[in-house]
Amino acid sequence: MASSALDRALRGEAGLRPLPEEVDGLLRRLDAPPRLGAHLRAVHDVACRLLDALYERFPGVDVDQEAVRYGAATHDVGKAYVTAELSGPGSEHERRGHRLLLDHGVEERLARFARTHGSWDGPDVTFEDLLVSLADKVWKGKRVPDLEQRVVDHLATAVGQEPWEVFMTLDDLLTELAADADRRLAFQSAHPITS
């Protein structure tokens, strides 16, 4: 049974989109820490806003929206078991989260983000992996030039624009998304680490 604190993190009015139903249900079954629910909701909201803006500003860009939304909503799910990583560093949650999702019947194309969101510079990284990683950074106002350059390079090739044009558009977009970081950080911090 999910705690009332988790319920507030998942459904409380914060101007953030709700998580996909199946993710909400999974977090409730796990009785996930409320702070984890709040974090996943914040990153998911940024990923949705990022996708909306990409389609508006880069018509024709090909991206698996379902995968990005699901990946953002579950990228840190392993922290339900590795709770020390909710307030400290570590990457054990990546392996554990990937396994947890697979064990709960999630297909690999969606479960992969729990494993890949922290290693966006690997050789087999997809555009969707980059977008989930980007949402996981910009939700708190963090800008990562190398990650952003990979997104620029992909977009420039995909839409046939010069990299500098894509950079200018993406930079404006990320600045807009980062502007709400303090509100999202306050939302996450308002939820306890333990149930």
Side-chain angles (χ1 to χ4, degrees), residues 117-137:
H117 73 275
S119 55
W120 51 265
D121 57 349
D124 297 327
V125 171
T126 67
F127 185 50
E128 289 78 9
D129 291 319
L130 295 174
L131 294 178
V132 170
S133 296
L134 189 59
D136 190 32
K137 299 299 183 194

Side-chain angles (χ1 to χ4, degrees), residues 59-124:
V61 66
D62 186 30
V63 60
D64 184 343
Q65 290 189 49
E66 177 196 14
V68 172
R69 287 187 178 106
Y70 195 91
T74 60
H75 73 283
D76 275 348
V77 71
K79 291 182 180 182
Y81 293 140
V82 189
T83 55
E85 292 182 13
L86 280 168
S87 59
S91 59
E92 177 63 20
H93 73 277
E94 295 168 7
R95 184 186 63 75
R96 294 280 304 269
H98 181 244
R99 180 81 264 151
L100 181 152
L101 291 172
L102 293 175
D103 289 348
H104 280 85
V106 176
E107 58 187 296
E108 173 62 25
R109 79 177 187 87
L110 300 175
R112 67 177 278 119
F113 299 98
R115 178 177 42 82
T116 64
H117 73 275
S119 55
W120 51 265
D121 57 349
D124 297 327

Side-chain angles (χ1 to χ4, degrees), residues 132-182:
V132 170
S133 296
L134 189 59
D136 190 32
K137 299 299 183 194
V138 80
W139 81 273
K140 61 184 172 186
K142 184 172 183 179
R143 303 288 299 269
V144 182
D146 292 343
L147 173 58
E148 292 175 23
Q149 187 61 55
R150 289 189 69 154
V151 173
V152 165
D153 293 344
H154 180 88
L155 284 170
T157 300
V159 298
Q161 290 183 8
E162 291 296 322
W164 68 267
E165 292 176 286
V166 172
F167 171 81
M168 296 297 288
T169 302
L170 185 66
D171 184 57
D172 287 346
L173 167 58
L174 297 179
T175 298
E176 289 170 26
L177 291 173
D180 269 352
D182 287 344

